[in-house]
Amino acid sequence: MKKTQNTVNYNKYGWFFISFAMLAFVLFTLYPMIESLSLSFKVLRDGEYVFGGLTNIKRLLGDKIFHKTIGNTFLFLAIQAPLMLMLALVYATILNAPKLRFRTFYRTAIFVPCVTSLVAYSVLFKLMFANDGIINYLLVNLHLIDEPIFFLNDPFWARVVIILAMTWRWTGYNMMFYLAALQNIPAETYEAARVDGANAVQTLFKITIPQLKPIILLTTIMTTNGTLQLFDEPMNITGGGPAEMTTTMSQYIYNNAFVYAPNFGYSVSMSYVIVTLVALLAFVQFKVGKD
């Protein structure tokens, strides 16, 4: 009986400690979610937010700039995500080689961009690809081009710079997941495959990739979610230009909330589009990856 009584007391203490976490969840997560959902149905009239029904939804359907930002975001996702994930797998495979020298140095060098300040590295890329930046300087002096390229003012090159910046920063982050997974694959599995006459390609597709399937699914979902919320690189490197060609959904939401005439109701409505897309794509990716 005493043992049972002690258990009950421990449960009481447990609820006491968990109550702080629950309170923080309600105040900083649940309440803002409810308030934002309520705000998405409101419009600004005479300086006050009043219930507007589906007004914001109707505006979304006719907002050509928002449609353009959706296209820009998915373009970055379609190009950058596969590029970064494949590059991360290549790096992890190289670093997992048993006879590789200076492994720690290479691993650190690839991972360091992940812990670099978002603003600092974005400004770095902006300066590098400026009209008088080091990239143009090197290309001109190597006689690869006759005159500087206006990277940040050209729609094609501006997108290329954004993709390069994202890949440079986040490849090392995904590489660490792949590297950890590769190191957990038993060496005996590869030895058995070599004894059976399997070549490198067969080993890759029959052993390595199947073993990495959960990690590939995880990194794909994380990369997709991150890209759909892309903000820092376009904001700090190109400002969303030229002509909104690099403006993403998150940046457009920010502009409507803080740069243009403030319209928090419309901005919140757009944010729910991102939430919906993230949830749908994560569900599809999980189902495909699970099967």
Side-chain angles (χ1 to χ4, degrees), residues 134-171:
I134 189 171
I135 301 299
N136 272 317
Y137 175 81
L138 292 174
L139 292 175
V140 170
N141 282 273
L142 291 173
H143 304 290
L144 297 176
I145 58 175
D146 297 325
E147 57 184 16
I149 300 174
F150 296 93
F151 287 105
L152 304 182
N153 297 323
D154 181 271
F156 172 79
W157 287 112
R159 286 171 168 174
V160 170
V161 173
I162 297 296
I163 291 171
L164 289 175
M166 294 168 60
T167 304
W168 179 81
R169 177 173 175 81
W170 295 112
T171 296

Side-chain angles (χ1 to χ4, degrees), residues 10-276:
Y10 286 137
N11 289 338
K12 289 182 178 180
Y13 287 125
W15 279 109
F16 173 75
F17 285 112
I18 201 175
S19 63
F20 293 100
M22 293 298 296
L23 180 62
F25 172 77
V26 171
L27 290 177
F28 301 109
T29 301
L30 185 60
Y31 174 72
M33 287 174 60
I34 296 173
E35 280 296 302
S36 66
L37 183 61
S38 173
L39 188 59
S40 67
F41 292 99
K42 296 181 180 180
V43 294
L44 188 62
R45 290 176 184 168
D46 300 326
E48 295 184 0
Y49 284 97
V50 297
F51 182 75
L54 300 178
T55 302
N56 290 324
I57 304 299
K58 293 177 181 178
R59 181 178 173 183
L60 275 177
L61 295 176
D63 192 339
K64 294 182 179 180
I65 297 180
F66 183 62
H67 300 164
K68 191 175 184 178
T69 64
I70 294 177
N72 293 338
T73 304
F74 274 91
L75 177 65
F76 289 134
L77 176 63
I79 298 175
Q80 182 265 342
L83 174 64
M84 181 181 65
L85 293 176
M86 287 189 292
L87 193 58
L89 180 56
V90 170
Y91 284 158
T93 304
I94 294 173
L95 289 174
N96 195 47
K99 297 182 180 180
L100 180 68
R101 300 180 63 188
F102 308 112
R103 187 194 317 273
T104 303
F105 171 78
Y106 295 136
R107 184 174 60 232
T108 303
I110 297 171
F111 185 75
V112 160
C114 303
V115 294
T116 306
S117 166
L118 283 168
V119 175
Y121 104 92
S122 298
V123 172
L124 173 65
F125 268 82
K126 183 176 182 178
L127 295 175
M128 287 171 56
F129 287 93
N131 301 340
D132 56 349
I134 189 171
I135 301 299
N136 272 317
Y137 175 81
L138 292 174
L139 292 175
V140 170
N141 282 273
L142 291 173
H143 304 290
L144 297 176
I145 58 175
D146 297 325
E147 57 184 16
I149 300 174
F150 296 93
F151 287 105
L152 304 182
N153 297 323
D154 181 271
F156 172 79
W157 287 112
R159 286 171 168 174
V160 170
V161 173
I162 297 296
I163 291 171
L164 289 175
M166 294 168 60
T167 304
W168 179 81
R169 177 173 175 81
W170 295 112
T171 296
Y173 181 77
N174 291 286
M175 177 203 70
M176 298 303 291
F177 286 96
Y178 289 132
L179 183 57
L182 286 172
Q183 291 174 346
N184 284 325
I185 300 177
E188 294 80 6
T189 306
Y190 291 107
E191 292 176 3
R194 283 194 293 269
V195 170
D196 291 338
N199 56 36
V201 176
Q202 291 172 327
T203 301
L204 175 65
F205 287 99
K206 297 295 184 179
I207 298 177
T208 305
I209 292 182
Q211 293 285 338
L212 293 179
K213 188 176 179 180
I215 300 301
I216 292 174
L217 176 62
L218 173 65
T219 54
T220 301
I221 292 176
M222 291 193 305
T223 301
T224 300
N225 293 351
T227 306
L228 288 177
Q229 301 173 67
L230 178 62
F231 174 80
D232 296 274
E233 290 83 355
M235 183 69 180
N236 294 309
I237 297 176
T238 63
E244 286 94 26
M245 295 302 289
T246 60
T247 303
T248 60
M249 291 186 287
S250 294
Q251 187 180 357
Y252 190 57
I253 292 171
Y254 171 84
N255 289 342
N256 275 274
F258 302 106
V259 178
Y260 309 149
N263 193 331
F264 294 107
Y266 185 53
S267 297
V268 171
S269 298
M270 287 189 287
S271 70
Y272 274 98
V273 174
I274 296 181
V275 172
T276 303

Side-chain angles (χ1 to χ4, degrees), residues 213 217 221 279-291:
K213 188 176 179 180
L217 176 62
I221 292 176
L280 286 175
L281 286 178
F283 175 77
V284 171
Q285 290 169 337
F286 183 78
K287 293 294 291 184
V288 172
K290 188 177 179 180
D291 296 336

